[in-house]
Amino acid sequence: MTETPKRATKAGHGADTIYWDPNKKSFVGAVSLGHAPNGKRRRPKVYGKTKTEVRNKIRDLKKEVQTGVKAPANYTVADAVNDWLERGLKGRDEKGTIGKNRSMANKHLIPFIGKAKLKELSADDVDDWLDDRAEFLATRSLRDLLAILRRSTAHAQRRDKAARNVALLVTAPEGRPGRPSKALNLEEAKAVLIAARPSRLYAYLVLSLLSGVRTEEARPLTWDHVFLETKGDVPPHVAVWRSVRKHGETKTRKSRRTIALPKQVVDVLEEHLRWQKQERASKGKEWDPTGRVFTTRTGEPLDAANVRRDFKAIVKKAGMKPEWTPRELRHSFVSLLSDHGIPLERIALLVGHSSQATTEAVYRKQLRPVITQGAEAMDEIFAEDQEEGSAEDQAEGDAVA
């Protein structure tokens, strides 16, 4: 006795339906999602090569309806990243935060997973992408890349363009060893300053190395924040209240600080001031007492890229490999003070850190055991250099006489 094949049952009213469409040569899933406000029945369709694929799409579609998120079918990872860069970072520095993130995304994210549809992106896709980049990037860069993807997807979620953030399920792998920050020793520091002497960047480098200001704080520094004379009990000092960050804010609240200037910095800035006034006069321009301390030949603000380029040339002239960056003058400041016995808490105040724990974490390779104070220490450290310079000047004067 043979079994009678079960007769295909018709889907009930309002139930989901899957059927083969010979014209489209694919399976079709019709989903019942109730009625629209105008009373019309909502029954969208999904397509797939197999019934399983269609069932999965029906499940995802229902999940989107339940969460209130209707992710666009063609919304890609690149779309999400670009939307975040354009709309999710409003108020941030275009050349700083936005520029850095855009550059990283354009080089290491969009070319590799940018075409993937965001709703179809899986944690495995993200893992595979990061593992590939780990051969070329340092661990810190990989974490930054993952952060870009996480924030871009979160931005898409807030705009109902993504149901979930798979980037949160992934951990950045270990990458290539990063280039550790270095610090100039005393002989190297003196060599750099000697090589910089004929350069427009000389005063900039002296201030950075002997006072520990950040490069982003030195570039926007104005003369009304520089006090080169002793008044009462107040020694010559510089008020570090601004940076090139958006709205001119310093990195942290404690980064706003007033730093006493070593005598050598005062001397160099006084010379720089006289030279700047003469340069302005020769071009028929009035010197501005609230103008920038460091400018280009045309009086424009210094650009970070130009400073890096000129600094590399100076380092090379000093007989060193041109692999140093201006920000490492700050590391050198910390190292020289620590070598001279300045307490860690004093160094933290001088460099504008919110706590000495930050100083210890960032500059742990430059710190040594401790004891004394700030601006006077730099005068002592570079005293020998000043004495040699004075002796040479005196010899030249005697020769001329």
Side-chain angles (χ1 to χ4, degrees):
M1 183 175 177
T2 58
E3 290 187 11
T4 305
K6 291 184 178 180
R7 187 176 177 182
T9 57
K10 185 178 180 181
H13 181 71
D16 302 331
T17 306
I18 298 177
Y19 59 91
W20 174 258
D21 186 333
N23 294 325
K24 295 185 180 295
K25 295 183 178 180
S26 64
F27 286 96
V28 182
V31 191
S32 180
L33 298 177
H35 295 78
N38 59 5
K40 188 175 179 179
R41 189 179 178 191
R42 297 173 59 193
R43 195 168 173 77
K45 295 179 180 180
V46 294
Y47 301 86
K49 294 180 180 179
T50 64
K51 284 187 176 182
T52 300
E53 183 181 352
V54 172
R55 287 192 189 98
N56 290 337
K57 288 186 176 181
I58 290 175
R59 181 197 62 204
D60 292 342
L61 187 59
K62 287 185 173 181
K63 189 179 294 183
E64 287 180 357
V65 172
Q66 290 171 356
T67 59
V69 177
K70 187 176 181 180
N74 296 321
Y75 193 70
T76 65
V77 172
D79 293 331
V81 172
N82 287 324
D83 282 350
W84 174 66
L85 290 170
E86 291 296 328
R87 302 179 181 181
L89 293 175
K90 291 178 181 177
R92 301 294 183 88
D93 181 17
E94 180 65 38
K95 290 185 178 180
T97 302
I98 298 176
K100 175 188 171 184
N101 285 300
R102 189 184 303 280
S103 176
M104 288 202 67
N106 288 340
K107 289 180 181 178
H108 301 290
L109 194 158
I110 292 175
F112 299 93
I113 59 171
K115 292 181 180 179
K117 293 177 182 178
L118 187 61
K119 65 184 297 181
E120 296 177 1
L121 187 70
S122 69
D124 286 341
D125 294 332
V126 178
D127 266 327
D128 291 343
W129 160 61
L130 289 174
D131 287 342
D132 173 72
R133 293 292 85 202
E135 296 181 24
F136 308 96
L137 300 175
T139 304
R140 172 66 183 272
S141 297
L142 293 171
R143 290 172 182 166
D144 289 344
L145 273 178
L146 181 57
I148 291 173
L149 182 59
R150 285 175 175 174
R151 292 170 184 171
S152 298
T153 308
H155 183 263
Q157 284 181 302
R158 291 192 293 271
R159 281 154 177 73
D160 293 338
K161 293 182 178 180
R164 61 180 186 146
N165 193 339
V166 295
L168 293 174
L169 308 176
V170 175
T171 302
E174 290 293 317
R176 296 175 59 184
R179 172 186 172 278
S181 293
K182 307 185 297 296
L184 298 165
N185 60 37
L186 182 55
E187 294 309 312
E188 290 171 332
K190 288 181 178 180
V192 167
L193 294 185
I194 291 171
R197 190 69 184 88
S199 166
R200 292 183 66 89
L201 217 54
Y202 180 59
Y204 180 99
L205 299 184
V206 170
L207 177 67
S208 299
L209 179 61
L210 274 67
S211 67
V213 300
R214 296 178 175 92
T215 57
E216 66 193 45
E217 296 167 340
R219 294 203 307 279
L221 185 65
T222 53
W223 284 112
D224 56 334
H225 283 177
V226 178
F227 304 88
L228 300 177
E229 297 180 358
T230 299
K231 292 187 177 180
D233 295 332
V234 182
H237 61 278
V238 60
V240 182
W241 295 349
R242 296 181 61 79
S243 78
V244 292
R245 291 168 179 265
K246 190 73 173 179
H247 307 306
E249 294 296 328
T250 52
K251 189 172 183 180
T252 66
R253 182 175 58 83
K254 286 199 174 182
S255 292
R256 293 179 61 132
R257 61 205 187 280
T258 300
I259 306 170
L261 295 175
K263 185 178 184 305
Q264 185 172 349
V265 176
V266 174
D267 292 342
V268 169
L269 286 177
E270 285 178 341
E271 181 185 1
H272 181 73
L273 175 58
R274 289 192 296 271
W275 168 80
Q276 191 181 82
K277 286 181 176 180
Q278 291 172 0
E279 186 180 53
R280 292 286 190 279
S282 67
K283 295 181 179 180
K285 296 180 180 179
E286 289 188 9
W287 178 78
D288 183 1
T290 62
R292 296 199 182 223
V293 176
F294 307 111
T295 66
T296 64
R297 288 181 176 82
T298 58
E300 296 299 316
L302 288 178
D303 179 78
N306 291 336
V307 171
R308 285 195 297 270
R309 181 199 62 207
D310 293 346
F311 182 65
K312 285 181 183 294
I314 289 169
V315 169
K316 187 174 181 180
K317 183 180 176 182
M320 298 156 55
K321 292 183 179 179
E323 58 185 18
W324 295 81
T325 62
R327 69 183 176 85
E328 285 168 329
L329 292 171
R330 183 171 160 85
H331 289 255
S332 303
F333 170 78
V334 171
S335 178
L336 292 169
L337 287 182
S338 184
D339 274 342
H340 198 68
I342 303 299
L344 179 57
E345 60 272 17
R346 176 59 58 184
I347 297 175
L349 287 173
L350 290 169
V351 295
H353 282 160
S354 55
S355 73
Q356 73 180 57
T358 305
T359 313
E360 193 166 16
V362 176
Y363 300 116
R364 59 186 179 276
K365 292 181 182 178
Q366 283 81 37
L367 294 172
R368 276 101 181 154
V370 294
I371 348 176
T372 339
Q373 294 287 304
E376 319 87 60
M378 280 300 174
D379 278 330
E380 291 177 21
I381 292 170
F382 286 89
E384 181 184 343
D385 207 34
Q386 285 180 288
E387 289 169 6
E388 289 176 0
S390 298
E392 289 175 6
D393 291 342
Q394 182 63 44
E396 288 179 10
D398 291 343
V400 172

